[in-house]
Amino acid sequence: MYVVKSPLSDADLKTVSEALQGALVDLVDLSLVAKQVHWNVVGPRFRSVHLQLDEVVDTARLHSDTVAERASTLGVPPDGRAATVAASSGIGTVSDGWVKDTDAVGTLVEALGAVITRMRARIEATGEADPVSQDIFIGITADLEKHHWMFQAENRG
């Protein structure tokens, strides 16, 4: 049952709602992964990596809210519960304990890469179904790709 009736056709709404839900899960998990690494990073570049991780957290949280509200706007209830995130995120697991600064950077490069790949698929999937949602995915992807670039540059030397 939809509380809010979407202007999209049922087929387009199905495509878009799956893309929005997937993006929400990935963004929530990205914020959690970045925060976990942020709390545990150690090494000579601790401070710069620590601060850079919080920038990713802020970006992921901002965009997760945008995605969830877009879903609600279309009459689709967003699901950001821990169990849902754990069951369907495209990001790999993060080890517990201290994380060497170079490993922290590598973890974020992998996590961001996984989310970017899935976001690009969502851009493709929503192009005809809902250009408004597609535009949101394009903006998110641009921000994530900037973080991805910066973390990749962090381990080059």
Side-chain angles (χ1 to χ4, degrees), residues 30-40 53-54 57 61:
L30 180 61
S31 73
L32 294 171
V33 164
K35 198 50 125 167
Q36 178 66 25
V37 175
H38 164 92
W39 292 323
N40 291 285
L53 287 161
D54 262 346
V57 171
R61 287 179 178 169

Side-chain angles (χ1 to χ4, degrees), residues 74-135:
L74 295 175
V76 178
D79 186 355
R81 296 173 300 157
T84 303
V85 172
S88 53
S89 172
I91 300 173
T93 59
V94 177
S95 60
D96 61 347
W98 303 116
V99 182
K100 186 177 173 193
D101 53 6
T102 54
D103 295 337
V105 169
T107 296
L108 261 291
V109 167
E110 282 184 29
L112 285 161
V115 176
I116 290 165
T117 297
R118 289 166 54 112
M119 281 299 175
R120 287 188 161 278
R122 293 176 185 117
I123 290 168
E124 177 101 12
T126 57
E128 286 187 38
D130 183 23
V132 175
S133 294
Q134 182 192 47
D135 186 54

Side-chain angles (χ1 to χ4, degrees), residues 10-61:
D10 287 344
D12 287 346
L13 184 60
K14 181 179 185 321
T15 298
V16 173
S17 65
E18 288 172 0
L20 289 166
Q21 180 59 39
L24 176 61
V25 163
D26 284 351
L27 290 165
V28 169
D29 200 22
L30 180 61
S31 73
L32 294 171
V33 164
K35 198 50 125 167
Q36 178 66 25
V37 175
H38 164 92
W39 292 323
N40 291 285
V41 66
V42 295
R45 294 179 298 154
F46 162 80
R47 183 163 172 71
S48 64
V49 173
H50 183 79
L51 294 173
Q52 195 173 356
L53 287 161
D54 262 346
E55 292 174 12
V56 173
V57 171
D58 291 345
T59 297
R61 287 179 178 169

